[in-house]
Amino acid sequence: MRFIYALAASAAITMATPASAATVFTDGFEGDTPALTVTTLDNWTVTQGVSVDVVGASNVYSIGVTLPASGNVVDLDGTPGPATITSIQNFLFNAGDLVTFSFDVGGAQRGSVADNFQAILFLDPSLVSGLTGTGLTSAGLGSNAGSVFSSVSIPGSTAFTTSSISFIATGAGSLKLAFGTTSADNIGPLLDNVRLDVSAVPEPATWAMMLLGLGFVGGAMRARRRKQNVAVRYA
């Protein structure tokens, strides 16, 4: 019976945890050369506004503030700015998939009081259910005709914070990733370590079959024990 209990526990974990998790995209901007007035990155284009800045970890701003991050980051309020960057690649998902869009975002770190920050998923919002955010994007969640997004104000001193937007797809579709700001003071939110994970969640029918299978195994084990007990009594 302990074996049955172990199988049941395993099934419960399986039902609570998405299967076939896959990271389909990552970008820490390490392939981009630090520069001002950037309009095209390795994996992104500026689709609104003017430009972004790619800043290296060793760069020191004119006021003597060293960037608190490893490797390159993107300043969304470029020289000049502000801007929105959108992924060049279009990403596919299936009905029932858990889609998680995560990234590190911090304040401008250069005396800015606060700047607007937007994380955007361009897709059909009718395909989205269970929309949630974590970190700095746990607030400001919304949707319009062509996207779901989080729009928040980030104080300039805010440390890099891992944040995310997640949803379960109600149908098959595709999406693009985007980040933007309306800062317009030439120093904006800093972005790093973008990642997209798409996890295939087991269908309810699959869970039912798993539990049914466990029931059959449990019944067989109980029948076997009854036969063994009868044999002992008549031995």
Side-chain angles (χ1 to χ4, degrees):
M1 289 299 290
R2 290 178 182 175
F3 176 67
I4 299 302
Y5 295 148
L7 283 177
S10 176
I13 293 172
T14 300
M15 288 188 290
T17 306
S20 305
T23 299
V24 299
F25 176 77
T26 60
D27 191 5
F29 307 107
E30 300 310 307
D32 298 295
T33 302
L36 304 179
T37 317
V38 176
T39 58
T40 302
L41 304 164
D42 277 0
N43 296 304
W44 312 80
T45 57
V46 173
T47 53
Q48 295 180 32
V50 182
S51 66
V52 298
D53 296 338
V54 178
V55 185
S58 61
N59 291 39
V60 177
Y61 296 108
S62 59
I63 58 174
V65 178
T66 302
L67 187 69
S70 59
N72 296 341
V73 301
V74 167
D75 179 350
L76 291 169
D77 191 359
T79 309
T84 295
I85 60 172
T86 301
S87 62
I88 296 172
Q89 187 174 350
N90 203 40
F91 303 98
L92 303 178
F93 55 85
N94 296 312
D97 282 351
L98 172 63
V99 180
T100 302
F101 171 34
S102 60
F103 42 88
D104 294 338
V105 60
Q109 312 296 327
R110 289 153 287 172
S112 177
V113 176
D115 293 305
N116 169 261
F117 170 76
Q118 300 168 9
I120 308 164
L121 293 164
F122 287 117
L123 79 166
D124 179 354
S126 70
L127 300 176
V128 173
S129 66
L131 181 66
T132 58
T134 65
L136 298 181
T137 51
S138 60
L141 289 173
S143 64
N144 56 30
S147 69
V148 297
F149 57 84
S150 173
S151 180
V152 294
S153 180
I154 300 178
S157 60
T158 301
F160 275 87
T161 304
T162 299
S163 304
S164 70
I165 297 175
S166 297
F167 69 90
I168 294 180
T170 60
S174 64
L175 61 83
K176 285 195 171 188
L177 313 175
F179 297 95
T181 184
T182 57
S183 169
D185 60 4
N186 212 36
I187 51 174
L190 303 175
L191 177 68
D192 199 6
N193 300 325
V194 181
R195 173 171 165 164
L196 181 67
D197 292 289
V198 179
S199 306
V201 179
E203 294 291 335
T206 302
W207 299 349
M209 288 299 293
M210 290 170 59
L211 292 176
L212 182 61
L214 287 175
F216 284 145
V217 173
M221 291 291 289
R222 287 191 295 272
R224 181 179 178 184
R225 291 194 65 179
R226 284 196 297 269
K227 289 181 179 180
Q228 288 175 339
N229 291 336
V230 170
V232 169
R233 284 199 299 269
Y234 290 97

